[in-house]
Amino acid sequence: MIGEVELGGVFIPVVLVSGIVGLVASLILRRVLRAAHAYNYIWHAGLFDVAMFVVLWCLVAYASGVVKT
């Protein structure tokens, strides 16, 4: 697998693309959790949001084949 995605003649690293997908997934999940009032039970919302983003980014990277085990 190559390490870049070509978009209109510009090469973008696959890690950046997977990070953006992870960020979008994190934003969607954050809105769902706020609507469900789940943040009432979370001690530190900022720390939870960062951890959730990192986990989702890793999941996207593993699913897309960027990270190989």
Side-chain angles (χ1 to χ4, degrees):
M1 179 175 181
I2 61 172
E4 293 94 16
V5 175
E6 191 264 327
L7 183 66
V10 177
F11 290 105
I12 301 173
V14 176
V15 174
L16 178 63
V17 174
S18 68
I20 292 171
V21 172
L23 178 65
V24 170
S26 175
L27 292 174
I28 292 170
L29 187 57
R30 189 181 325 176
R31 289 187 69 120
V32 169
L33 290 174
R34 286 200 193 278
H37 301 288
Y39 279 92
N40 294 336
Y41 305 104
I42 296 172
W43 173 67
H44 198 292
L47 185 61
F48 177 79
D49 288 340
V50 170
M52 181 175 58
F53 165 69
V54 170
V55 168
L56 288 172
W57 189 3
C58 289
L59 289 174
V60 169
Y62 279 119
S64 65
V66 172
V67 177
K68 295 181 176 120
T69 57

Short mmCIF file of all heavy atoms in Angstrom, two decimals:
data_model
loop_
_atom_site.label_atom_id
_atom_site.label_comp_id
_atom_site.label_asym_id
_atom_site.label_seq_id
_atom_site.Cartn_x
_atom_site.Cartn_y
_atom_site.Cartn_z
N MET A 1 0.84 -1.17 0.00
CA MET A 1 0.00 0.00 0.00
C MET A 1 0.88 1.24 0.00
O MET A 1 1.87 1.31 0.71
CB MET A 1 -0.89 -0.01 1.23
CG MET A 1 -1.78 1.16 1.33
SD MET A 1 -2.88 0.99 2.72
CE MET A 1 -3.76 2.48 2.54
N ILE A 2 0.51 2.21 -0.79
CA ILE A 2 1.29 3.44 -0.85
C ILE A 2 0.95 4.33 0.35
O ILE A 2 -0.08 4.18 0.98
CB ILE A 2 1.04 4.20 -2.17
CG1 ILE A 2 -0.43 4.58 -2.32
CG2 ILE A 2 1.50 3.38 -3.34
CD1 ILE A 2 -0.70 5.48 -3.50
N GLY A 3 1.83 5.27 0.65
CA GLY A 3 1.66 6.09 1.82
C GLY A 3 0.98 7.42 1.56
O GLY A 3 0.87 8.24 2.45
N GLU A 4 0.50 7.65 0.33
CA GLU A 4 -0.16 8.90 0.01
C GLU A 4 -1.45 8.65 -0.77
O GLU A 4 -1.60 7.65 -1.43
CB GLU A 4 0.72 9.81 -0.84
CG GLU A 4 1.95 10.32 -0.15
CD GLU A 4 3.15 9.46 -0.42
OE1 GLU A 4 3.10 8.65 -1.37
OE2 GLU A 4 4.12 9.55 0.33
N VAL A 5 -2.34 9.62 -0.68
CA VAL A 5 -3.56 9.64 -1.47
C VAL A 5 -3.46 10.85 -2.38
O VAL A 5 -3.17 11.96 -1.93
CB VAL A 5 -4.81 9.77 -0.55
CG1 VAL A 5 -6.07 9.92 -1.38
CG2 VAL A 5 -4.91 8.58 0.37
N GLU A 6 -3.70 10.66 -3.68
CA GLU A 6 -3.60 11.75 -4.64
C GLU A 6 -4.98 12.39 -4.77
O GLU A 6 -5.98 11.74 -5.06
CB GLU A 6 -3.14 11.21 -5.99
CG GLU A 6 -2.76 12.28 -6.98
CD GLU A 6 -3.90 12.62 -7.90
OE1 GLU A 6 -4.69 11.75 -8.23
OE2 GLU A 6 -3.98 13.79 -8.29
N LEU A 7 -5.03 13.70 -4.50
CA LEU A 7 -6.29 14.43 -4.55
C LEU A 7 -6.07 15.70 -5.37
O LEU A 7 -5.53 16.69 -4.87
CB LEU A 7 -6.75 14.77 -3.13
CG LEU A 7 -8.09 15.47 -2.99
CD1 LEU A 7 -9.21 14.53 -3.44
CD2 LEU A 7 -8.32 15.89 -1.56
N GLY A 8 -6.46 15.66 -6.62
CA GLY A 8 -6.31 16.82 -7.49
C GLY A 8 -4.87 17.20 -7.76
O GLY A 8 -4.55 18.37 -7.87
N GLY A 9 -3.99 16.23 -7.81
CA GLY A 9 -2.59 16.50 -8.07
C GLY A 9 -1.78 16.77 -6.81
O GLY A 9 -0.58 17.01 -6.89
N VAL A 10 -2.42 16.73 -5.67
CA VAL A 10 -1.73 16.96 -4.40
C VAL A 10 -1.69 15.63 -3.64
O VAL A 10 -2.72 14.97 -3.49
CB VAL A 10 -2.46 18.03 -3.55
CG1 VAL A 10 -1.80 18.22 -2.21
CG2 VAL A 10 -2.55 19.33 -4.31
N PHE A 11 -0.52 15.26 -3.17
CA PHE A 11 -0.37 14.03 -2.42
C PHE A 11 -0.59 14.30 -0.93
O PHE A 11 0.07 15.16 -0.35
CB PHE A 11 1.01 13.42 -2.65
CG PHE A 11 1.18 12.88 -4.03
CD1 PHE A 11 1.92 13.56 -4.96
CD2 PHE A 11 0.58 11.69 -4.39
CE1 PHE A 11 2.09 13.08 -6.25
CE2 PHE A 11 0.73 11.18 -5.67
CZ PHE A 11 1.48 11.88 -6.60
N ILE A 12 -1.54 13.59 -0.34
CA ILE A 12 -1.89 13.76 1.07
C ILE A 12 -1.54 12.46 1.79
O ILE A 12 -1.92 11.38 1.32
CB ILE A 12 -3.38 14.07 1.23
CG1 ILE A 12 -3.72 15.35 0.46
CG2 ILE A 12 -3.75 14.22 2.69
CD1 ILE A 12 -5.19 15.65 0.40
N PRO A 13 -0.83 12.53 2.92
CA PRO A 13 -0.48 11.31 3.65
C PRO A 13 -1.73 10.57 4.13
O PRO A 13 -2.72 11.18 4.55
CB PRO A 13 0.33 11.81 4.84
CG PRO A 13 0.73 13.19 4.51
CD PRO A 13 -0.27 13.72 3.55
N VAL A 14 -1.67 9.25 4.07
CA VAL A 14 -2.80 8.42 4.49
C VAL A 14 -3.06 8.59 5.98
O VAL A 14 -4.21 8.54 6.42
CB VAL A 14 -2.52 6.94 4.14
CG1 VAL A 14 -3.62 6.05 4.66
CG2 VAL A 14 -2.38 6.77 2.65
N VAL A 15 -2.02 8.86 6.76
CA VAL A 15 -2.20 9.06 8.20
C VAL A 15 -3.06 10.30 8.45
O VAL A 15 -3.90 10.31 9.35
CB VAL A 15 -0.82 9.18 8.89
CG1 VAL A 15 -0.97 9.53 10.34
CG2 VAL A 15 -0.04 7.91 8.71
N LEU A 16 -2.86 11.36 7.66
CA LEU A 16 -3.67 12.56 7.80
C LEU A 16 -5.13 12.28 7.44
O LEU A 16 -6.05 12.73 8.14
CB LEU A 16 -3.13 13.68 6.92
CG LEU A 16 -3.89 15.00 6.93
CD1 LEU A 16 -3.86 15.62 8.32
CD2 LEU A 16 -3.33 15.95 5.91
N VAL A 17 -5.36 11.52 6.40
CA VAL A 17 -6.72 11.17 5.99
C VAL A 17 -7.39 10.33 7.07
O VAL A 17 -8.54 10.59 7.44
CB VAL A 17 -6.71 10.43 4.64
CG1 VAL A 17 -8.10 9.94 4.29
CG2 VAL A 17 -6.16 11.32 3.54
N SER A 18 -6.68 9.36 7.63
CA SER A 18 -7.27 8.54 8.69
C SER A 18 -7.52 9.37 9.94
O SER A 18 -8.50 9.16 10.65
CB SER A 18 -6.38 7.34 9.00
OG SER A 18 -5.18 7.74 9.59
N GLY A 19 -6.66 10.35 10.22
CA GLY A 19 -6.87 11.24 11.36
C GLY A 19 -8.11 12.10 11.19
O GLY A 19 -8.86 12.32 12.15
N ILE A 20 -8.34 12.58 9.99
CA ILE A 20 -9.53 13.39 9.72
C ILE A 20 -10.79 12.54 9.85
O ILE A 20 -11.79 12.99 10.42
CB ILE A 20 -9.43 14.06 8.34
CG1 ILE A 20 -8.33 15.12 8.37
CG2 ILE A 20 -10.75 14.67 7.91
CD1 ILE A 20 -7.99 15.71 7.02
N VAL A 21 -10.75 11.31 9.35
CA VAL A 21 -11.90 10.40 9.49
C VAL A 21 -12.15 10.10 10.96
O VAL A 21 -13.30 10.08 11.42
CB VAL A 21 -11.68 9.11 8.67
CG1 VAL A 21 -12.75 8.09 8.97
CG2 VAL A 21 -11.62 9.42 7.19
N GLY A 22 -11.08 9.88 11.73
CA GLY A 22 -11.23 9.65 13.16
C GLY A 22 -11.80 10.86 13.88
O GLY A 22 -12.61 10.73 14.80
N LEU A 23 -11.39 12.07 13.46
CA LEU A 23 -11.92 13.29 14.06
C LEU A 23 -13.41 13.45 13.78
O LEU A 23 -14.18 13.80 14.67
CB LEU A 23 -11.15 14.50 13.55
CG LEU A 23 -11.61 15.87 14.06
CD1 LEU A 23 -11.39 15.96 15.56
CD2 LEU A 23 -10.90 16.98 13.32
N VAL A 24 -13.82 13.19 12.55
CA VAL A 24 -15.23 13.29 12.20
C VAL A 24 -16.05 12.28 12.99
O VAL A 24 -17.12 12.60 13.52
CB VAL A 24 -15.43 13.12 10.67
CG1 VAL A 24 -16.89 12.97 10.32
CG2 VAL A 24 -14.81 14.29 9.93
N ALA A 25 -15.53 11.05 13.10
CA ALA A 25 -16.23 10.03 13.89
C ALA A 25 -16.31 10.45 15.36
O ALA A 25 -17.34 10.24 16.02
CB ALA A 25 -15.52 8.69 13.76
N SER A 26 -15.25 11.06 15.86
CA SER A 26 -15.24 11.53 17.25
C SER A 26 -16.27 12.65 17.46
O SER A 26 -16.96 12.67 18.49
CB SER A 26 -13.84 12.03 17.61
OG SER A 26 -13.82 12.59 18.89
N LEU A 27 -16.36 13.58 16.52
CA LEU A 27 -17.33 14.66 16.64
C LEU A 27 -18.76 14.13 16.62
O LEU A 27 -19.62 14.59 17.38
CB LEU A 27 -17.12 15.68 15.52
CG LEU A 27 -15.83 16.49 15.59
CD1 LEU A 27 -15.69 17.36 14.34
CD2 LEU A 27 -15.79 17.32 16.84
N ILE A 28 -19.03 13.16 15.75
CA ILE A 28 -20.37 12.57 15.69
C ILE A 28 -20.69 11.83 16.98
O ILE A 28 -21.78 12.01 17.55
CB ILE A 28 -20.48 11.62 14.47
CG1 ILE A 28 -20.43 12.43 13.18
CG2 ILE A 28 -21.76 10.79 14.54
CD1 ILE A 28 -20.29 11.60 11.93
N LEU A 29 -19.75 11.04 17.48
CA LEU A 29 -19.98 10.29 18.71
C LEU A 29 -20.12 11.24 19.90
O LEU A 29 -20.92 10.99 20.81
CB LEU A 29 -18.85 9.30 18.94
CG LEU A 29 -19.02 8.32 20.09
CD1 LEU A 29 -20.30 7.51 19.93
CD2 LEU A 29 -17.83 7.40 20.17
N ARG A 30 -19.38 12.34 19.90
CA ARG A 30 -19.50 13.32 20.98
C ARG A 30 -20.90 13.93 21.02
O ARG A 30 -21.49 14.11 22.07
CB ARG A 30 -18.46 14.41 20.80
CG ARG A 30 -18.38 15.34 21.98
CD ARG A 30 -17.39 16.45 21.82
NE ARG A 30 -16.20 16.06 21.07
CZ ARG A 30 -15.24 16.89 20.75
NH1 ARG A 30 -15.32 18.16 21.11
NH2 ARG A 30 -14.21 16.49 20.07
N ARG A 31 -21.44 14.24 19.83
CA ARG A 31 -22.80 14.80 19.79
C ARG A 31 -23.83 13.80 20.28
O ARG A 31 -24.78 14.17 20.98
CB ARG A 31 -23.14 15.25 18.38
CG ARG A 31 -22.37 16.48 17.96
CD ARG A 31 -22.86 16.96 16.63
NE ARG A 31 -24.21 17.49 16.81
CZ ARG A 31 -24.53 18.74 16.54
NH1 ARG A 31 -23.63 19.57 16.09
NH2 ARG A 31 -25.76 19.17 16.70
N VAL A 32 -23.64 12.53 19.92
CA VAL A 32 -24.57 11.49 20.38
C VAL A 32 -24.49 11.33 21.89
O VAL A 32 -25.52 11.23 22.57
CB VAL A 32 -24.26 10.15 19.66
CG1 VAL A 32 -25.02 9.00 20.30
CG2 VAL A 32 -24.58 10.26 18.18
N LEU A 33 -23.28 11.34 22.44
CA LEU A 33 -23.12 11.20 23.89
C LEU A 33 -23.68 12.41 24.63
O LEU A 33 -24.25 12.26 25.72
CB LEU A 33 -21.65 10.99 24.24
CG LEU A 33 -21.05 9.66 23.84
CD1 LEU A 33 -19.56 9.64 24.12
CD2 LEU A 33 -21.74 8.52 24.56
N ARG A 34 -23.52 13.60 24.08
CA ARG A 34 -24.09 14.79 24.73
C ARG A 34 -25.61 14.75 24.69
O ARG A 34 -26.27 15.15 25.64
CB ARG A 34 -23.58 16.07 24.07
CG ARG A 34 -22.16 16.38 24.42
CD ARG A 34 -21.83 17.84 24.17
NE ARG A 34 -20.40 18.08 24.20
CZ ARG A 34 -19.70 18.23 25.32
NH1 ARG A 34 -20.30 18.15 26.47
NH2 ARG A 34 -18.40 18.43 25.26
N ALA A 35 -26.19 14.28 23.58
CA ALA A 35 -27.65 14.19 23.48
C ALA A 35 -28.20 13.14 24.45
O ALA A 35 -29.32 13.28 24.95
CB ALA A 35 -28.06 13.85 22.05
N ALA A 36 -27.42 12.11 24.72
CA ALA A 36 -27.85 11.05 25.64
C ALA A 36 -27.51 11.39 27.09
O ALA A 36 -27.75 10.57 27.98
CB ALA A 36 -27.20 9.73 25.25
N HIS A 37 -26.94 12.57 27.34
CA HIS A 37 -26.55 13.03 28.68
C HIS A 37 -25.55 12.09 29.34
O HIS A 37 -25.56 11.94 30.56
CB HIS A 37 -27.78 13.23 29.57
CG HIS A 37 -28.76 14.21 29.03
ND1 HIS A 37 -28.51 15.56 29.02
CD2 HIS A 37 -29.97 14.04 28.44
CE1 HIS A 37 -29.54 16.18 28.47
NE2 HIS A 37 -30.43 15.29 28.10
N ALA A 38 -24.70 11.48 28.56
CA ALA A 38 -23.68 10.57 29.10
C ALA A 38 -22.56 11.34 29.78
O ALA A 38 -21.86 10.78 30.63
CB ALA A 38 -23.11 9.70 27.98
N TYR A 39 -22.39 12.61 29.44
CA TYR A 39 -21.32 13.40 30.05
C TYR A 39 -21.61 13.73 31.51
O TYR A 39 -20.73 14.23 32.21
CB TYR A 39 -21.06 14.67 29.24
CG TYR A 39 -20.20 14.42 28.03
CD1 TYR A 39 -20.75 14.12 26.79
CD2 TYR A 39 -18.82 14.48 28.13
CE1 TYR A 39 -19.95 13.88 25.70
CE2 TYR A 39 -18.01 14.25 27.04
CZ TYR A 39 -18.57 13.95 25.82
OH TYR A 39 -17.79 13.70 24.73
N ASN A 40 -22.81 13.48 31.97
CA ASN A 40 -23.11 13.66 33.40
C ASN A 40 -22.36 12.63 34.24
O ASN A 40 -22.12 12.85 35.43
CB ASN A 40 -24.60 13.53 33.66
CG ASN A 40 -25.39 14.66 33.02
OD1 ASN A 40 -24.86 15.72 32.77
ND2 ASN A 40 -26.65 14.40 32.74
N TYR A 41 -21.99 11.51 33.65
CA TYR A 41 -21.33 10.42 34.36
C TYR A 41 -19.83 10.35 34.09
O TYR A 41 -19.16 9.46 34.60
CB TYR A 41 -21.98 9.09 34.00
CG TYR A 41 -23.47 9.09 34.25
CD1 TYR A 41 -24.37 9.20 33.21
CD2 TYR A 41 -23.96 9.02 35.55
CE1 TYR A 41 -25.73 9.21 33.44
CE2 TYR A 41 -25.31 9.04 35.79
CZ TYR A 41 -26.19 9.14 34.74
OH TYR A 41 -27.53 9.17 34.99
N ILE A 42 -19.33 11.27 33.29
CA ILE A 42 -17.90 11.29 32.94
C ILE A 42 -17.22 12.35 33.77
O ILE A 42 -17.66 13.51 33.80
CB ILE A 42 -17.71 11.55 31.43
CG1 ILE A 42 -18.32 10.39 30.64
CG2 ILE A 42 -16.25 11.74 31.09
CD1 ILE A 42 -18.37 10.61 29.15
N TRP A 43 -16.14 11.96 34.46
CA TRP A 43 -15.48 12.86 35.39
C TRP A 43 -14.80 14.04 34.69
O TRP A 43 -14.96 15.18 35.09
CB TRP A 43 -14.45 12.07 36.21
CG TRP A 43 -13.61 12.93 37.09
CD1 TRP A 43 -14.04 13.64 38.18
CD2 TRP A 43 -12.23 13.20 36.94
NE1 TRP A 43 -12.99 14.32 38.72
CE2 TRP A 43 -11.86 14.08 37.99
CE3 TRP A 43 -11.26 12.78 36.06
CZ2 TRP A 43 -10.57 14.53 38.15
CZ3 TRP A 43 -9.98 13.24 36.22
CH2 TRP A 43 -9.65 14.10 37.27
N HIS A 44 -14.02 13.77 33.64
CA HIS A 44 -13.26 14.82 32.96
C HIS A 44 -13.58 14.74 31.46
O HIS A 44 -13.01 13.92 30.74
CB HIS A 44 -11.77 14.62 33.21
CG HIS A 44 -10.94 15.82 32.95
ND1 HIS A 44 -10.76 16.32 31.69
CD2 HIS A 44 -10.25 16.63 33.78
CE1 HIS A 44 -9.98 17.37 31.74
NE2 HIS A 44 -9.66 17.58 33.02
N ALA A 45 -14.49 15.58 31.01
CA ALA A 45 -14.99 15.49 29.63
C ALA A 45 -13.89 15.74 28.60
O ALA A 45 -13.85 15.06 27.57
CB ALA A 45 -16.13 16.47 29.43
N GLY A 46 -13.00 16.68 28.84
CA GLY A 46 -11.93 16.97 27.88
C GLY A 46 -10.98 15.80 27.70
O GLY A 46 -10.59 15.46 26.59
N LEU A 47 -10.60 15.20 28.81
CA LEU A 47 -9.72 14.03 28.75
C LEU A 47 -10.40 12.86 28.06
O LEU A 47 -9.79 12.15 27.26
CB LEU A 47 -9.30 13.65 30.17
CG LEU A 47 -8.29 12.54 30.33
CD1 LEU A 47 -6.98 12.92 29.65
CD2 LEU A 47 -8.06 12.25 31.79
N PHE A 48 -11.68 12.69 28.33
CA PHE A 48 -12.44 11.62 27.68
C PHE A 48 -12.52 11.85 26.18
O PHE A 48 -12.38 10.91 25.39
CB PHE A 48 -13.85 11.54 28.28
CG PHE A 48 -14.72 10.52 27.63
CD1 PHE A 48 -14.59 9.18 27.94
CD2 PHE A 48 -15.67 10.89 26.69
CE1 PHE A 48 -15.39 8.23 27.33
CE2 PHE A 48 -16.47 9.96 26.08
CZ PHE A 48 -16.33 8.62 26.39
N ASP A 49 -12.74 13.10 25.77
CA ASP A 49 -12.83 13.41 24.34
C ASP A 49 -11.52 13.13 23.61
O ASP A 49 -11.52 12.58 22.50
CB ASP A 49 -13.24 14.86 24.13
CG ASP A 49 -14.69 15.12 24.48
OD1 ASP A 49 -15.48 14.16 24.52
OD2 ASP A 49 -15.02 16.30 24.72
N VAL A 50 -10.40 13.49 24.22
CA VAL A 50 -9.09 13.23 23.60
C VAL A 50 -8.84 11.72 23.50
O VAL A 50 -8.40 11.22 22.46
CB VAL A 50 -7.97 13.93 24.39
CG1 VAL A 50 -6.60 13.47 23.91
CG2 VAL A 50 -8.09 15.42 24.27
N ALA A 51 -9.14 11.00 24.57
CA ALA A 51 -8.94 9.54 24.56
C ALA A 51 -9.84 8.88 23.51
O ALA A 51 -9.41 7.96 22.81
CB ALA A 51 -9.21 8.96 25.93
N MET A 52 -11.08 9.35 23.39
CA MET A 52 -12.01 8.80 22.41
C MET A 52 -11.50 9.06 20.99
O MET A 52 -11.56 8.17 20.13
CB MET A 52 -13.40 9.41 22.60
CG MET A 52 -14.44 8.88 21.66
SD MET A 52 -16.09 9.51 22.00
CE MET A 52 -15.85 11.27 21.87
N PHE A 53 -10.94 10.26 20.75
CA PHE A 53 -10.39 10.56 19.44
C PHE A 53 -9.21 9.64 19.11
O PHE A 53 -9.12 9.12 18.00
CB PHE A 53 -9.95 12.03 19.37
CG PHE A 53 -9.06 12.32 18.21
CD1 PHE A 53 -9.55 12.29 16.91
CD2 PHE A 53 -7.73 12.63 18.40
CE1 PHE A 53 -8.72 12.55 15.83
CE2 PHE A 53 -6.89 12.89 17.33
CZ PHE A 53 -7.39 12.86 16.05
N VAL A 54 -8.33 9.44 20.06
CA VAL A 54 -7.16 8.58 19.82
C VAL A 54 -7.58 7.15 19.53
O VAL A 54 -7.07 6.51 18.60
CB VAL A 54 -6.18 8.64 21.01
CG1 VAL A 54 -5.11 7.60 20.90
CG2 VAL A 54 -5.57 10.03 21.12
N VAL A 55 -8.54 6.65 20.28
CA VAL A 55 -9.02 5.28 20.05
C VAL A 55 -9.69 5.16 18.69
O VAL A 55 -9.44 4.19 17.94
CB VAL A 55 -9.99 4.86 21.19
CG1 VAL A 55 -10.72 3.59 20.84
CG2 VAL A 55 -9.23 4.69 22.49
N LEU A 56 -10.51 6.12 18.33
CA LEU A 56 -11.17 6.06 17.02
C LEU A 56 -10.17 6.21 15.88
O LEU A 56 -10.30 5.56 14.84
CB LEU A 56 -12.25 7.15 16.93
CG LEU A 56 -13.49 6.90 17.77
CD1 LEU A 56 -14.39 8.12 17.75
CD2 LEU A 56 -14.24 5.68 17.30
N TRP A 57 -9.15 7.05 16.06
CA TRP A 57 -8.11 7.21 15.03
C TRP A 57 -7.37 5.89 14.84
O TRP A 57 -7.09 5.47 13.72
CB TRP A 57 -7.16 8.32 15.43
CG TRP A 57 -6.17 8.71 14.37
CD1 TRP A 57 -6.08 8.22 13.10
CD2 TRP A 57 -5.15 9.68 14.49
NE1 TRP A 57 -5.04 8.84 12.44
CE2 TRP A 57 -4.46 9.73 13.26
CE3 TRP A 57 -4.74 10.51 15.52
CZ2 TRP A 57 -3.39 10.59 13.05
CZ3 TRP A 57 -3.67 11.37 15.30
CH2 TRP A 57 -3.02 11.40 14.07
N CYS A 58 -7.05 5.21 15.94
CA CYS A 58 -6.38 3.91 15.84
C CYS A 58 -7.25 2.88 15.15
O CYS A 58 -6.78 2.09 14.34
CB CYS A 58 -5.98 3.42 17.22
SG CYS A 58 -4.62 4.36 17.94
N LEU A 59 -8.54 2.87 15.47
CA LEU A 59 -9.46 1.95 14.81
C LEU A 59 -9.54 2.19 13.31
O LEU A 59 -9.53 1.25 12.51
CB LEU A 59 -10.86 2.03 15.45
CG LEU A 59 -10.99 1.46 16.84
CD1 LEU A 59 -12.39 1.75 17.40
CD2 LEU A 59 -10.73 -0.03 16.84
N VAL A 60 -9.61 3.46 12.92
CA VAL A 60 -9.65 3.79 11.50
C VAL A 60 -8.34 3.40 10.82
O VAL A 60 -8.34 2.85 9.71
CB VAL A 60 -9.96 5.29 11.29
CG1 VAL A 60 -9.74 5.72 9.86
CG2 VAL A 60 -11.36 5.61 11.74
N ALA A 61 -7.23 3.63 11.48
CA ALA A 61 -5.93 3.29 10.90
C ALA A 61 -5.79 1.78 10.74
O ALA A 61 -5.29 1.31 9.71
CB ALA A 61 -4.81 3.83 11.76
N TYR A 62 -6.21 1.01 11.74
CA TYR A 62 -6.17 -0.44 11.62
C TYR A 62 -7.12 -0.95 10.54
O TYR A 62 -6.78 -1.86 9.77
CB TYR A 62 -6.49 -1.12 12.94
CG TYR A 62 -5.33 -1.20 13.90
CD1 TYR A 62 -5.38 -0.59 15.13
CD2 TYR A 62 -4.17 -1.90 13.55
CE1 TYR A 62 -4.32 -0.65 16.00
CE2 TYR A 62 -3.10 -1.97 14.43
CZ TYR A 62 -3.18 -1.34 15.65
OH TYR A 62 -2.12 -1.42 16.50
N ALA A 63 -8.30 -0.38 10.47
CA ALA A 63 -9.29 -0.83 9.47
C ALA A 63 -8.87 -0.51 8.05
O ALA A 63 -9.15 -1.27 7.12
CB ALA A 63 -10.64 -0.19 9.77
N SER A 64 -8.15 0.61 7.87
CA SER A 64 -7.74 0.99 6.53
C SER A 64 -6.42 0.34 6.11
O SER A 64 -6.03 0.45 4.97
CB SER A 64 -7.62 2.51 6.42
OG SER A 64 -6.58 2.97 7.25
N GLY A 65 -5.74 -0.29 7.04
CA GLY A 65 -4.51 -0.96 6.71
C GLY A 65 -3.28 -0.08 6.82
O GLY A 65 -2.20 -0.47 6.37
N VAL A 66 -3.41 1.10 7.40
CA VAL A 66 -2.26 1.99 7.57
C VAL A 66 -1.29 1.38 8.57
O VAL A 66 -0.08 1.37 8.36
CB VAL A 66 -2.73 3.40 8.04
CG1 VAL A 66 -1.53 4.26 8.39
CG2 VAL A 66 -3.57 4.04 6.97
N VAL A 67 -1.84 0.87 9.65
CA VAL A 67 -1.02 0.25 10.71
C VAL A 67 -1.13 -1.25 10.54
O VAL A 67 -2.22 -1.81 10.47
CB VAL A 67 -1.51 0.68 12.11
CG1 VAL A 67 -0.71 -0.01 13.17
CG2 VAL A 67 -1.46 2.17 12.25
N LYS A 68 0.01 -1.91 10.47
CA LYS A 68 0.01 -3.37 10.31
C LYS A 68 0.52 -4.00 11.60
O LYS A 68 1.47 -3.53 12.21
CB LYS A 68 0.91 -3.76 9.13
CG LYS A 68 0.37 -3.25 7.84
CD LYS A 68 1.26 -3.65 6.69
CE LYS A 68 0.60 -3.18 5.42
NZ LYS A 68 1.35 -2.28 4.66
N THR A 69 -0.13 -5.06 12.01
CA THR A 69 0.30 -5.76 13.23
C THR A 69 1.22 -6.89 12.91
O THR A 69 1.33 -7.39 11.86
CB THR A 69 -0.91 -6.30 14.00
OG1 THR A 69 -1.66 -7.16 13.16
CG2 THR A 69 -1.77 -5.14 14.47
#
